[in-house]
Amino acid sequence: MQTPSQPRAIYYIVAIQIWEYFSFYGMRALLILYLTHQLSFDDSHAIGLFSAYASLVYVTPILGGWIADRLLGNRVAVIAGALLMTLGHIVLGLESDSATSLYLALAIIICGYGLFKSNISCLLGELYDANDSRRDGGFSLLYAAGNIGSIAAPIVCGLAAQWYGWHVGFALAGIGMFIGLMVFLSGHHHFRHTRGVNRPALRSKRFVLPVWGWLLVMLCVAPVFFTILLERDWAGYLLAAVCLFAAQMVARIMIASPEHRRALWQIVLLMLTGTLFWVLAQQGGSSISLFIDHFVNRQWLQFTVPTALFQSVNAVAVMSAGVVLAWLVRPGAGGSSALRVWLKFAFGLALMGAGFMLLALNARQGQIHGHASMSLMVAGLALMGFAELFIDPVAMAQITRLNMPGVTGVLTGIYMLATGAVANWLAGVVAQRTTESQISETAVAAYGHFFSQMGEWTLGCVAVMIIVLAGRKLLGNGVPGLAEAGEE
């Protein structure tokens, strides 16, 4: 998974990323099925809680990025986040069907994810100089390698949940995160040149307590706060407030750094396009998973394939293509780097649209034959998984290339907010269109119409992007906002 030209520290970053993917996607594959089967939530309630959790998971990286930039450094923040995620998955794995226990476990995972997710990408970015040509390959490699965990997790956790119970599947996700943390810690000597803890800032006093004391207070209060948000279904209100705050932060950064303004506009445009992509992609954990559970014929030989195992399909597609793409992104590639960024985004959206059209065809087959095809389902999910390689790795490489000390972690967190929190919340709103009071012929028709609309809108957006890019290229105007950060 690593070429000799890459820094040796990438081994340990890739290792913890693999196990983080294992823990997160193992739990994600089970969650909505656990809510509908074990806790007897109806589809609408289950989608609402799933999207609230998934959106809150991506709210916290803004604060996690700020804490890493100002206080802990990326490496320590990653370690703290991994510990919290391990604890949250273990709580989820306890033998209890209490909704309060579920909310608390999800809240702890939300806090851990905030410290981990944006800062693991920033830690990787610290391994390269600003103009290092290996950077894009490193990010594609990390993204593809992490999917080893997301391939294995739904299979291992899904089968464990089917054979031994839901809580065994959840506990395995926590054990995986702990293994990843131990591997990461074993390579500490390779990270000596990265930013460490800001001890003077932690010892300084703010409102009576030292800053480290306030961090401990926050660690105790935050899980309770997020538990209340999940119980009361208030995630949308917090998300709106955080989005306003994030917009104000971006505006302040632009005002303070006029020399980087074009590059910052690039990030804003990538955020908006990435949000559209992830509204579609996050249907995999909610509406698509429920469609598979309700309508797909999952019989293979004498075995019923658990619904959770289908979550591995898009990860297999990412893994299969990722190493090839990392090899193709090599020094000396010709053409406009700004144009390449947008063409990659357009291609990713085109693949996503094609995947939804396949799902729409499959839903229509379900109407005709009484059940949908497993092979068409796999083909559609594979296209969607392949599409991911043209979105996040490209955007993350562009953000960490900005070379703006003190704000990289915050910008990464804001990207996570847009493409994670906002996209997941919107994905839940969109997925509610598929829910009905009972499983019926009308319901499968609703899924077919829903998938068809998603595919048509996405392919329409791709057509608009290509027309705009072609027009500006012919007029010689380039691509606005991309010139500075797009240079390699």
Side-chain angles (χ1 to χ4, degrees):
M1 292 186 300
Q2 177 187 5
T3 64
S5 63
Q6 291 289 347
R8 188 168 178 79
I10 201 175
Y11 277 122
Y12 300 94
I13 294 177
V14 163
I16 196 169
Q17 181 86 331
I18 289 172
W19 286 107
E20 185 271 325
Y21 269 51
F22 181 92
S23 67
F24 183 80
Y25 286 96
M27 188 276 286
R28 179 180 180 271
L30 300 179
L31 182 57
I32 202 161
L33 303 174
Y34 174 72
L35 296 176
T36 53
H37 287 272
Q38 187 69 17
L39 299 185
S40 300
F41 286 15
D42 60 35
D43 285 4
S44 180
H45 188 186
I47 288 173
L49 178 57
F50 182 90
S51 64
Y53 159 73
S55 66
L56 290 175
V57 155
Y58 289 99
V59 167
T60 50
I62 293 181
L63 181 58
W66 184 90
I67 290 172
D69 280 341
R70 300 295 198 279
L71 302 171
L72 298 182
N74 294 316
R75 180 173 172 270
V76 173
V78 164
I79 293 169
L83 283 170
L84 285 172
M85 285 192 288
T86 300
L87 176 62
H89 284 105
I90 295 301
V91 171
L92 195 58
L94 297 176
E95 193 68 33
S96 170
D97 289 330
S98 163
T100 302
S101 175
L102 168 70
Y103 295 142
L104 177 61
L106 295 179
I108 296 171
I109 295 170
I110 287 166
C111 295
Y113 202 78
L115 283 169
F116 185 96
K117 190 61 179 177
S118 62
N119 295 318
I120 194 68
S121 297
C122 292
L123 183 61
L124 177 61
E126 284 193 73
L127 303 183
Y128 306 98
D129 294 330
N131 297 315
D132 194 328
S133 60
R134 300 174 297 172
R135 182 184 294 264
D136 282 6
F139 273 91
S140 290
L141 192 61
L142 177 70
Y143 196 78
N147 279 275
I148 295 174
S150 55
I151 291 169
I155 298 171
V156 174
C157 297
L159 291 174
Q162 179 170 288
W163 294 340
Y164 304 109
W166 295 102
H167 299 287
V168 176
F170 289 133
L172 284 176
I175 293 169
M177 188 69 257
F178 184 73
I179 292 171
L181 177 58
M182 293 299 101
V183 174
F184 181 75
L185 290 174
S186 70
H188 66 93
H189 53 284
H190 294 295
F191 296 92
R192 288 172 183 158
H193 65 288
T194 60
R195 269 188 309 118
V197 173
N198 187 343
R199 297 183 188 277
L202 283 173
R203 290 170 182 162
S204 63
K205 284 194 174 182
R206 295 288 187 275
F207 305 106
V208 182
L209 288 178
V211 171
W212 65 261
W214 286 114
L215 280 178
L216 289 178
V217 171
M218 185 187 301
L219 181 62
C220 297
V221 172
V224 177
F225 173 70
F226 286 114
T227 299
I228 294 171
L229 288 183
L230 291 170
E231 284 184 327
R232 304 292 177 86
D233 194 22
W234 289 347
Y237 299 113
L238 176 64
L239 182 58
V242 173
C243 285
L244 288 174
F245 179 68
Q248 180 258 348
M249 290 176 72
V250 172
R252 286 176 60 186
I253 293 169
M254 284 187 173
I255 292 169
S257 306
E259 70 277 13
H260 293 291
R261 198 164 293 165
R262 285 175 62 85
L264 289 168
W265 274 115
Q266 168 204 355
I267 302 305
V268 171
L269 292 172
L270 292 178
M271 285 178 185
L272 293 175
T273 311
T275 299
L276 168 63
F277 176 88
W278 284 106
V279 168
L280 303 168
Q282 294 298 351
Q283 297 301 317
S286 55
S287 62
I288 292 176
S289 186
L290 291 173
F291 173 76
I292 295 169
D293 197 50
H294 296 332
F295 300 115
V296 172
N297 179 12
R298 295 178 283 114
Q299 289 297 128
W300 183 64
L301 301 177
Q302 302 299 315
F303 177 65
T304 300
V305 179
T307 302
L309 268 64
F310 286 83
Q311 297 291 319
S312 294
V313 174
N314 66 344
V316 171
V318 172
M319 188 60 198
S320 301
V323 175
V324 174
L325 289 178
W327 175 77
L328 289 175
V329 180
R330 60 192 186 276
S336 165
S337 100
L339 183 60
R340 284 204 307 273
V341 168
W342 284 106
L343 286 177
K344 287 176 183 178
F345 262 60
F347 189 58
L349 283 169
L351 288 172
M352 179 62 68
F356 268 103
M357 296 308 289
L358 275 180
L359 297 193
L361 175 62
N362 202 17
R364 293 191 182 98
Q365 293 285 332
Q367 281 185 270
I368 296 170
H369 301 295
H371 56 79
S373 162
M374 187 160 56
S375 59
L376 269 180
M377 200 74 225
V378 169
L381 291 173
L383 278 177
M384 293 176 176
F386 184 37
E388 293 180 25
L389 281 169
F390 299 91
I391 307 296
D392 274 3
V394 177
M396 285 299 183
Q398 294 299 108
I399 291 173
T400 59
R401 183 178 281 116
L402 288 177
N403 193 26
M404 297 177 64
V407 300
T408 304
V410 175
L411 288 174
T412 306
I414 293 173
Y415 178 82
M416 295 288 180
L417 172 71
T419 61
V422 176
N424 270 288
W425 190 81
L426 290 175
V429 173
V430 170
Q432 292 289 354
R433 297 180 53 231
T434 65
T435 61
E436 289 194 13
S437 59
Q438 60 183 1
I439 306 304
S440 64
E441 183 180 0
T442 305
V444 71
Y447 274 105
H449 182 65
F450 171 73
F451 293 149
S452 179
Q453 280 193 324
M454 295 300 100
E456 289 167 1
W457 293 346
T458 306
L459 294 175
C461 288
V462 172
V464 171
M465 288 176 67
I466 296 298
I467 291 169
V468 170
L469 290 172
R472 296 195 68 88
K473 184 70 173 176
L474 289 172
L475 293 173
N477 293 334
V479 183
L482 286 179
E484 177 183 343
E487 293 300 320
E488 292 181 345

